[in-house]
Amino acid sequence: SCCAQPSTGAGVRCPSTRRNVVIHDRIEDHASAAMTTPPPKLLVLVVEDEPDVRALLLRALATEYDVESAVNGAQALVRLTLKPVPALVVTDVMMPGMDGIQMAKLIKANPETAHLPVIFLTARGTPKDLITGIQAGARFYLTKPFSIPDLMDKVRTVLAKPGAAARKPRPRRDRKSTRLNSSHITIS
């Protein structure tokens, strides 16, 4: 019927009800704009003390994500107290002040941030270093030199999981703990 047809704010007489009806395009424009607005990008926090590596990481990640940076673990922990909380932390291990391992342990120990995935980028690549990184809470452990495509694949993998940006840790159940002895592990 004529009552459902949009106009530019002018009155339209509807023959069936014989009333003047005004339909505003602004409402319809708002609805169509909401359907075409892309969802906000996820935020990735890069923690790296080397300015050139940090700039490279920010440039690469900014093609798909919002990015912020910190120069050490202590600065990153302060940033994690602010909103919005990043969906992912990509960090170096060896940094002055607080290193990436200490930072990751503190992230995982805090109920407010324990859900955050962490990816390590480091020059430390021994099996013991890898185990230390995984024990600290790393989702992935990449050694330098690394490839940007490999890093981007890992970031996409972590952030593609449903609810990656908002996942909270489940309450722990009482269970027996298993102690991992690195001398019994062979990495090939």
Side-chain angles (χ1 to χ4, degrees), residues 127-145:
K128 182 179 177 184
D129 293 327
L130 174 65
I131 291 167
T132 300
I134 299 301
Q135 288 175 338
R139 203 61 75 81
F140 287 105
Y141 191 95
L142 300 174
T143 56
K144 295 176 182 175

Side-chain angles (χ1 to χ4, degrees), residues 18-37:
R18 295 185 180 179
R19 291 185 180 168
N20 286 331
V21 178
V22 176
I23 300 174
H24 296 280
D25 287 336
R26 188 180 69 162
I27 294 170
E28 291 186 6
D29 288 343
H30 178 71
S32 65
M35 292 178 6
T36 59
T37 303

Side-chain angles (χ1 to χ4, degrees), residues 76-112:
L77 290 175
V78 170
R79 170 54 190 90
L80 292 175
T81 64
L82 307 173
K83 301 290 183 201
V85 175
L88 170 67
V89 177
V90 176
T91 184
D92 187 10
V93 170
M94 296 183 292
M95 296 178 287
M98 182 183 295
D99 69 22
I101 298 292
Q102 293 171 311
M103 178 196 66
K105 287 178 180 178
L106 290 171
I107 287 172
K108 297 302 178 182
N110 181 342
E112 296 297 314

